[in-house]
Amino acid sequence: MQTWQTAKTLILHASLKLRRAHYLGKSMMVKAIMGFLALILIWYLYMLGLFLPSLLEGFFPEQNILDSFFSLLLYIYAGDLLTRFFMQKIPRQSIKPYLVLPISRKFLSGFIVARSWLSPLNFYLLALLIPFFRTMSAMDSGYFSFWHALAACFLLGALNHAIIFWLKTWPNKWHKFLLAAILIIFHLGLGGVIDRELYMHISLHISRAFISGHPLVFIAIICTIIALQLMSLTGLRQSFYSWAGESGNVELTGHNPMEKFFNHIPVHGHLWELEWKLITRNKRARNNFYQYPLMIPLLVFLLYNMTEETATGMAPVLMMFMGSYGMYHLQFAFSWESRFFDLLASKQLPMSTMITSRYYFYVLLAIVQFIIMLPFIIWINPGLLYLLLALLFYITGPVFALLFYTGIGNSTRIDPNGQSFFNAEGLSGRLFITVLLIFMSILPVFALAVALPLSYLQSFSLLAGFTGFVFMLFHRRWIRAAAHRFERAKHVYLNKYREK
């Protein structure tokens, strides 16, 4: 009974989403134009189905009309497969908010699979096939069977649907590449380059087996569709966020060594696991994360050409290296993904705990990067070791504090699956001022370093390192201040993070 009520609720929410969609909120004129274009497309397909017999007779005068059509059937559904690859969407994003509720993930993935069959891509070819098959049925062409042919075409479309759904849900990329290669080689290679006559001959024989009502052909296609759908169910469940901090989760949920490693860390481990998922499962964050190590060779080049006299003046540039990945990512500390906060909010987790865990995570990333670079620093320019260590403290201290405190007020979230380069999305005047403050914050250190009775490089390193150490030592105070700022206008900020 509860399962049926859940299904009704999901169906109701899907209908509300459709009625409230932005394209249905357009003006009446826009709606009329959209409806007219859809009707025109259906009408063209219908008229093509009526005139298709005469067209085939003109192109293939020496061949039976049905044989001509069925020789081209694989071409038709190869084009349908290609269309689906670019246009068929998986209704997954709308289901993710339900992952924080006590609903079976198996049920949710089954609902997505069942709902996907309502796609217009599963029915649009019927506007072409029904009038054509009715015309050919009226001609009484002997072995032709209207219902067998219609069922065959529907099953071929269903097979395309199952293939695309599996390709877009299965997490193992090698299986996807293998299947995609087979489809490309068969359809494009055999049908377009190697032997078109053989391709058309295969298409004709498969179609005749369908028309004759051969049960093994129908059973083979149906079993293949079922197998692909079952694999899609598994792939969907694996793609859902599975977090060790979820209530009722008694076993470790990591799917790779890093996630399993984080699961074994007490206190902050489950939040680090979630942070790792946030970075590695979103295109934009993941690309930046994998590209950031490329900055290490650039730093090595700078160290090679830098002297102790010029190093202090290069401190603002070196700050970008010492902050590691967090220097970039934390500019959007609260703007990456709204579901991240929905999940944490549903667990009644204190905001200060979440900020503390994120802070420790990116401090550790900066330390790991520094350890990787340490042999190069000692080998190339050991005189700059204290300066770089001081800047590491400075970035992970006051700079990270500024990013966390100001990041709460970012106006919108950025698309986690958008492009990384030449993308102005998420940029704002507030962020520009924040970045400007980061680089200007080092100016007082420049000024005060003159007053110390040490060399300028040593004085600057000492002041920058001490400032950073103080902020790191008292990090809980400024984290509480950032959390308090969030809590004062939580609903306003959450609404901003969900904007697009």
Side-chain angles (χ1 to χ4, degrees), residues 57 69 74 146 164 190-191 197 334 387 400 410 437 443 482:
E57 190 174 11
F69 175 79
L74 286 183
F146 173 82
I164 295 299
L190 186 61
E197 291 186 3
F334 303 91
L387 172 64
F400 276 15
N410 283 350
L437 285 174
L443 295 180

Side-chain angles (χ1 to χ4, degrees), residues 327-497:
M327 181 68 174
Y328 169 79
H329 187 81
L330 291 179
Q331 294 178 29
F332 308 96
F334 303 91
S335 306
W336 275 102
E337 188 176 8
S338 61
R339 289 185 297 274
F340 182 90
F341 291 94
D342 291 335
L343 177 61
L344 295 177
S346 69
K347 305 303 175 186
Q348 296 183 345
L349 187 72
M351 192 65 178
S352 58
T353 303
M354 192 274 284
I355 296 178
T356 302
S357 293
R358 299 192 92 178
Y359 174 66
Y360 291 165
F361 184 87
Y362 290 102
V363 168
L364 285 175
L365 275 184
I367 293 173
V368 168
Q369 179 185 282
F370 184 78
I371 292 173
I372 293 173
M373 294 188 300
L374 190 59
F376 298 99
I377 299 171
I378 296 174
W379 175 46
I380 296 172
N381 205 332
L384 300 181
L385 176 61
Y386 295 109
L387 172 64
L388 296 177
L389 182 60
L391 289 177
L392 173 66
F393 279 106
Y394 188 81
I395 292 297
T396 53
V399 171
F400 276 15
L402 182 64
L403 289 173
F404 273 110
Y405 190 82
T406 59
I408 289 174
N410 283 350
S411 59
T412 61
R413 74 180 180 96
I414 63 175
D415 183 3
N417 290 315
Q419 295 296 326
S420 301
F421 296 108
F422 304 108
N423 190 338
E425 182 185 24
L427 301 181
S428 63
R430 178 190 295 271
L431 182 59
F432 173 77
I433 294 174
T434 300
V435 174
L436 190 63
L437 285 174
I438 288 173
F439 291 106
M440 292 182 65
S441 66
I442 202 73
L443 295 180
V445 182
F446 278 118
L448 292 174
V450 180
L452 293 183
L454 300 170
S455 69
Y456 191 71
L457 177 62
Q458 292 175 336
S459 300
F460 179 86
S461 301
L462 181 63
L463 284 174
F466 178 75
T467 303
F469 179 76
V470 170
F471 269 83
M472 295 180 71
L473 185 63
F474 296 98
H475 67 277
R476 293 189 180 276
R477 293 192 177 183
W478 59 258
I479 285 176
R480 281 198 298 269
H484 180 65
R485 182 188 177 199
F486 177 86
E487 294 292 346
R488 282 183 302 178
K490 177 169 60 176
H491 302 292
V492 175
Y493 289 132
L494 284 175
N495 186 53
K496 286 183 177 181
Y497 302 154

Side-chain angles (χ1 to χ4, degrees), residues 192-222:
V193 179
I194 301 174
D195 195 337
R196 297 180 185 178
E197 291 186 3
L198 177 60
Y199 186 80
M200 295 173 71
H201 188 68
I202 294 172
S203 177
L204 178 59
H205 274 272
I206 292 175
S207 302
R208 283 180 174 175
F210 273 121
I211 293 171
S212 62
H214 201 292
L216 291 180
V217 181
F218 283 92
I219 292 172
I221 297 293
I222 292 172

